[in-house]
Amino acid sequence: MATRNLSEYDTTRVPDASNMIFGIVVAEWNPEITGALLDGCVSTLEKHGALTENIHVKRVPGSFELIYGAHQMTLNDGYDAVIILGSVIRGETPHFDYICQGVTAGIARLNATSSIPVVFGLLTTNDKQQALDRAGGKLGNKGDECAVVAIKMAKF
């Protein structure tokens, strides 16, 4: 369980993002959740100066495809950082474990091999309510947190 509000951070420690270009890859699966993550992410990037035209959003069918989408963005589009946003909710089969492990390993590999940061914004929750709590609910919005991380890492 999150121990803090994902949307709370020290705004004085976030660099200006007005000259940065961001790629966001968002999964279509669980759209109520991923849409809220995307809204939080974009609004936080803009809050810190990112221009609307410098925030490029691409959609992929599900969370596993986030790896491919992020990889393509690291290769082709001149981004300062790429953010992945998705939501996997535990079900009755081991599918949850395979998807979570696969996406985690794939994004870790991209971070180790690409020249730009890829920010991990995949919610992995036991139920829908936990995901909603982290997508603008009582625990804030993971999309906000990912935007701040992307800005900071782009300036690293």
Side-chain angles (χ1 to χ4, degrees):
M1 182 165 163
T3 57
R4 65 177 180 81
N5 185 317
L6 297 166
S7 298
E8 292 177 357
Y9 59 94
D10 181 357
T11 58
T12 64
R13 298 188 66 167
V14 180
D16 175 49
S18 59
N19 292 320
M20 297 180 186
I21 301 173
F22 299 95
I24 303 173
V25 185
V26 60
E28 294 172 341
W29 196 258
N30 295 320
E32 177 183 4
I33 296 159
T34 60
L37 293 172
L38 179 61
D39 290 345
C41 186
V42 169
S43 67
T44 299
L45 290 171
E46 290 174 341
K47 175 182 172 180
H48 292 287
L51 303 175
T52 302
E53 59 268 22
N54 289 340
I55 302 169
H56 304 162
V57 178
K58 305 266 184 175
R59 298 182 189 280
V60 294
S63 291
F64 196 77
E65 292 78 25
L66 292 166
I67 304 164
Y68 178 83
H71 183 234
Q72 291 305 306
M73 283 187 159
T74 65
L75 295 176
N76 300 319
D77 296 315
Y79 296 110
D80 294 294
V82 173
I83 302 163
I84 64 125
L85 299 172
S87 173
V88 183
I89 299 170
R90 188 179 301 279
E92 297 177 4
T93 70
H95 179 77
F96 172 90
D97 298 313
Y98 301 135
I99 296 299
C100 295
Q101 290 171 7
V103 176
T104 300
I107 299 304
R109 185 176 61 255
L110 284 176
N111 271 304
T113 60
S114 75
S115 60
I116 64 168
V118 179
V119 178
F120 188 85
L122 180 69
L123 293 180
T124 57
T125 58
N126 290 319
D127 58 49
K128 185 175 181 179
Q129 187 57 55
Q130 287 179 341
L132 292 170
D133 289 346
R134 290 157 177 78
K138 69 180 182 180
L139 295 174
N141 192 319
K142 181 74 171 175
D144 296 338
E145 182 183 59
C146 290
V148 171
V149 170
I151 295 167
K152 288 181 174 185
M153 292 306 296
K155 286 287 190 184
F156 184 77

